[in-house]
Amino acid sequence: MAAFAARAPGLPIAVGYSGGADSTALLLACAQRWPGQVHAWHVHHGLQAAADAFEVHCRSVCARWDVPLAVAHVDARAQPGESPEAAARQHRHKAFDLLAQAQPALAAIQSVALAQHADDQVETLLLALSRGSGLPGLAAMPAQWRRGALHYYRPLLAVPGAALRHWLRQHGEAWIEDPSNADVRYTRNRIRSQLAPALAAVFPTYRATFARSAQHAAQAQQVLDEVAAADLAACGLPPRLADLQALTPARQGNALRHWLAHAHASVPSAAQLAELQSQIAACRTRGHAIRLKVGRGFVVREGGALNWLPASEPSQSSG
């Protein structure tokens, strides 16, 4: 908490509070550090019968600690082809945006603290490795970032989950256990229950060393983002085909990923990016059309440039 306070997060601060051990520890630590400046945000995902009991527990704890609690009810069921974890994360982000907008102007939240810890970071990195992810995935979860008007922080990324539970026991605080955390149908839970103990037996300091690798990946990705921004500034927005063709394949791919992610919130798969680059290389005549599915839309050729259109929008003439 001293290291977190040294970052001088803007106050008042909201803590994402599920009622579990991790968020309970973070909420209590923040309330002790900044009395009267801490709010709790609870997202009722509606995914299991115990969700109502979670909310009741959170209301009781916040009343005892004199911490204001705001609750957002969402339907976080995953769409076909979407992972339950990704769906819950997206709905949580939207819920936090709505909770921030609902704050009175005089008590406007400046920062949001989330309780992911060292074990969560390791699980995220291992999941990325299992999927063959590039640097964005290997960078795992960032320690801080900005979303709209809010600064987000994860101050516990260097703290093992067991240490948080030990700290809560020392303070005589209880928490709730989410039944879904024991469901081994989820890969993250299998990593936690089966792989993590094996890693600890062979590499006792794996949490710290894996965290360093994630930090190195994040730094390398920052450099690639800067290169991509410079290349896109030269190629224009939307990017011109002739300028993209002048880039090396590696820089072209980097620029295309950056453009799609930052301008259109779409992340191409490795196969989609390879096909797009192949079509760009072959696009030497005015009549060569490009229309490639990426995310929830299509990358299309419009004149001498590329554009991305949502699936519902028809593309313009490529002439």
Side-chain angles (χ1 to χ4, degrees):
M1 286 304 299
F4 179 33
R7 299 185 209 172
L11 300 175
I13 185 170
V15 176
Y17 179 44
S18 68
D22 315 328
S23 62
T24 300
L26 180 59
L27 181 61
L28 177 56
C30 286
Q32 291 176 341
R33 172 71 60 166
W34 298 291
Q37 294 290 319
V38 177
H39 295 238
W41 285 355
H42 177 77
V43 179
H44 186 302
H45 290 94
L47 294 175
Q48 50 185 309
D52 290 339
F54 295 167
E55 180 181 337
V56 170
H57 170 86
C58 292
R59 289 189 182 279
S60 174
V61 171
C62 287
R64 179 161 52 86
W65 290 350
D66 196 25
V67 171
L69 173 69
V71 178
H73 288 252
V74 301
D75 181 356
R77 287 175 293 184
Q79 299 299 314
E82 185 180 29
S83 77
E85 185 180 55
R89 182 171 57 250
Q90 290 299 321
H91 284 285
R92 188 160 52 248
H93 287 164
K94 292 178 181 177
F96 283 176
D97 290 343
L98 292 175
L99 288 171
Q101 294 167 11
Q103 290 289 136
L106 292 177
I109 297 298
Q110 303 295 312
S111 309
V112 180
L114 304 178
Q116 286 89 2
H117 51 72
D119 301 295
D120 297 320
Q121 186 75 317
V122 167
E123 293 161 11
T124 301
L125 176 58
L126 290 172
L127 283 169
L129 285 167
S130 73
R131 296 165 180 159
S133 299
L135 284 177
L138 301 182
M141 294 182 289
Q144 65 182 76
W145 71 101
R146 188 179 180 95
R147 177 182 167 88
L150 295 175
H151 288 272
Y152 282 78
Y153 298 88
R154 290 190 176 101
L156 303 179
L157 286 182
V159 184
L164 297 174
R165 285 167 169 75
H166 177 70
W167 185 80
L168 284 174
R169 293 188 189 100
Q170 286 183 318
H171 285 75
E173 292 294 340
W175 62 89
I176 54 176
E177 293 289 352
D178 187 337
S180 68
N181 288 339
D183 190 342
V184 294
R185 289 178 299 175
Y186 298 114
T187 305
R188 185 178 286 273
N189 291 344
R190 293 199 299 275
I191 291 174
R192 187 177 306 141
S193 63
Q194 301 171 20
L195 186 54
L199 283 170
V202 180
F203 306 111
T205 63
Y206 77 95
R207 291 181 182 87
T209 55
F210 281 23
R212 280 204 304 274
S213 291
Q215 289 170 359
H216 294 326
Q219 290 171 351
Q221 183 58 48
Q222 183 176 352
V223 173
L224 289 179
D225 286 342
E226 292 171 1
V227 172
D231 285 341
L232 287 172
C235 292
L237 288 176
R240 294 179 293 270
L241 282 164
D243 292 315
L244 286 170
Q245 290 167 340
L247 297 174
T248 64
R251 286 180 67 157
Q252 183 190 90
N254 184 49
L256 289 168
R257 278 191 297 266
H258 189 89
W259 167 60
L260 290 166
H262 289 78
H264 302 293
S266 292
V267 179
S269 67
Q272 288 173 338
L273 184 63
E275 176 60 23
L276 177 57
Q277 290 191 262
S278 176
Q279 292 196 28
I280 290 172
C283 193
R284 301 292 179 179
T285 63
R286 288 175 57 85
H288 188 113
I290 294 178
R291 183 175 174 84
L292 180 67
K293 183 76 167 66
V294 175
R296 297 184 178 183
F298 293 87
V299 174
V300 298
R301 178 185 179 180
E302 292 186 345
L306 291 181
N307 201 359
W308 183 90
L309 299 175
S312 59
E313 288 189 23
S315 62
Q316 300 175 9
S317 170
S318 63

